[in-house]
């Protein structure tokens, strides 16, 4: 069996969020938590998997990364332009 994509879950200061999930997604989270517990010996509440899964998904989504870079580049060039000294006449 190949390795799971999520490793050890770090304890981080949470932000409270309420979401509704389809029942099948909830069952899959429970199953994933069970497999993770068997592989790592680390028992984790299934709801605690959501944040690392989203983080992993966004960090490996190339289209998202390109879009994010494209959005940041104009902001960075505008910021750099505002920091350049104004020419004196």
């Amino acid at each position: 069996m190949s390795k799971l994509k999520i490793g050890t879950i770090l304890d981080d200061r949470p932000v409270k969020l309420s979401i509704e999930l389809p029942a099948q997604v909830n069952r899959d989270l429970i199953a994933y938590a069970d497999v993770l517990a068997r592989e790592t010996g680390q028992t984790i509440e299934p709801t605690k998997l959501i944040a690392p899964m989203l983080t992993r998904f966004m960090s490996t989504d190339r289209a998202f990364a390109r879009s994010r870079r494209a959005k940041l580049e104009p902001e960075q060039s505008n910021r750099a332009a505002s920091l350049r000294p104004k020419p004196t006449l």
Side-chain angles (χ1 to χ4, degrees):
M1 181 173 161
S2 63
K3 293 279 186 188
L4 297 178
K5 293 185 179 195
I6 295 180
T8 303
I9 308 296
L10 299 176
D11 190 19
D12 199 3
R13 185 175 158 175
V15 174
K16 193 165 193 160
L17 188 66
S18 296
I19 62 170
E20 288 186 25
L21 298 174
Q24 184 58 49
V25 173
N26 185 51
R27 287 189 293 270
D28 288 344
L29 279 172
I30 292 167
Y32 200 101
D34 289 342
V35 172
L36 185 64
R38 280 195 307 269
E39 281 198 9
T40 65
Q42 178 187 17
T43 303
I44 187 96
E45 186 179 329
T47 56
K48 298 257 186 204
L49 294 172
I50 296 169
M53 287 177 160
L54 285 173
T55 300
R56 173 74 177 186
F57 171 78
M58 288 187 291
S59 70
T60 59
D61 186 325
R62 291 179 181 165
F64 173 66
R66 278 191 304 273
S67 176
R68 191 174 199 181
R69 273 194 309 272
K71 183 179 185 283
L72 290 176
E73 286 171 0
E75 291 174 7
Q76 289 172 348
S77 63
N78 288 342
R79 199 173 308 130
S82 69
L83 295 176
R84 284 189 208 119
K86 303 274 190 250
T88 56
L89 301 174

